[in-house]
Amino acid sequence: MIREMSADLLEKHNVVNAPVDVEQIVHAMHLDVRKDRVEGDISGFLFRDHEKSSAIIGVNCNHHSNRQRFTIAHELGHFLLHTGDKVHVDRGFEVRLRSDESSKGTDIDEKEANLFAAELLMPKAFVERDLDEIGAVDLMEEKTIKTLADKYQVSPHAFAFRLSYLGYVQQ
Ligand SMILES: [Zn+2]
């Protein structure tokens, strides 16, 4: 369902190639993006306006631009997938990408938002096409991961995780 949602969104906004311009999509959806320098590990927040069914997405621009893109996509995931609290603040969710030991409700929301972000920034169809194009290469090779991560404007860590999630590499 999350994959279909993000695929529909990409189609609607005519995105056919990486890198996905997530800010443009968010703006086209009439959501506001506010960038601020914040000390510490806060990556972003979602401030919902239930009345206008809109929201403000906050991004810590102290962080790397790749991470900011992931944050925007993650908050957009919350906006589309989860109703609830007016304000949602995220801290260092990238670190938790790999962890799946907890099954608390909030963690499920975080995992869904992360999955949405991954599907949006690294769509399965795009990744499959790019892997076909570069042919048989060692996907564990750091250089390959880096090249692809640069193309998608995501962190090598996020791209490696995505390849693993899609079943291309075992970790
Ligand atoms: Zn979150």
Side-chain angles (χ1 to χ4, degrees):
M1 180 200 86
I2 289 177
R3 178 169 297 161
E4 266 172 41
M5 258 179 90
S6 65
D8 287 350
L9 204 58
L10 292 170
E11 202 185 313
K12 195 176 161 202
H13 295 277
N14 303 311
V15 183
V16 292
N17 271 313
V20 173
D21 191 342
V22 64
E23 265 192 73
Q24 201 202 331
I25 293 175
V26 164
H27 284 139
M29 295 172 72
H30 305 293
L31 305 189
D32 263 343
V33 176
R34 304 264 172 89
K35 295 184 179 182
D36 254 317
R37 296 191 175 279
V38 185
E39 292 305 321
D41 68 345
I42 288 181
S43 39
F45 68 82
L46 180 71
F47 184 83
R48 292 170 207 273
D49 187 334
H50 285 295
E51 272 164 38
K52 290 192 211 155
S53 50
S54 181
I56 296 167
I57 290 175
V59 186
N60 186 353
C61 59
N62 258 353
H63 292 157
H64 191 282
S65 60
N66 288 342
R67 182 155 173 199
Q68 293 180 45
R69 284 165 49 73
F70 200 92
T71 298
I72 294 170
H74 175 102
E75 302 304 341
L76 179 60
H78 281 310
F79 176 71
L80 294 173
L81 296 164
H82 310 127
T83 51
D85 296 346
K86 199 170 168 67
V87 184
H88 174 87
V89 179
D90 280 301
R91 295 162 193 274
F93 52 73
E94 269 203 320
V95 182
R96 294 207 306 268
L97 265 172
R98 283 161 195 271
S99 114
D100 56 1
E101 61 271 356
S102 177
S103 58
K104 281 184 291 181
T106 53
D107 279 5
I108 290 174
D109 280 5
E110 293 318 306
K111 269 200 249 172
E112 286 182 348
N114 280 339
L115 180 59
F116 177 86
E119 295 285 351
L120 192 70
L121 297 176
M122 298 165 277
K124 185 170 184 265
F126 294 15
V127 173
E128 276 173 356
R129 194 179 55 211
D130 283 336
L131 292 181
D132 273 353
E133 263 172 35
I134 59 174
V137 289
D138 185 357
L139 288 175
M140 289 307 281
E141 186 95 5
E142 222 171 280
K143 207 173 64 190
T144 312
I145 300 275
K146 175 86 171 72
T147 304
L148 285 163
D150 285 350
K151 175 170 183 176
Y152 284 77
Q153 290 179 21
V154 298
S155 72
H157 170 80
F159 200 86
F161 182 81
R162 183 67 174 150
L163 287 179
S164 153
Y165 183 86
L166 293 173
Y168 285 104
V169 290
Q170 294 196 325
Q171 289 195 337

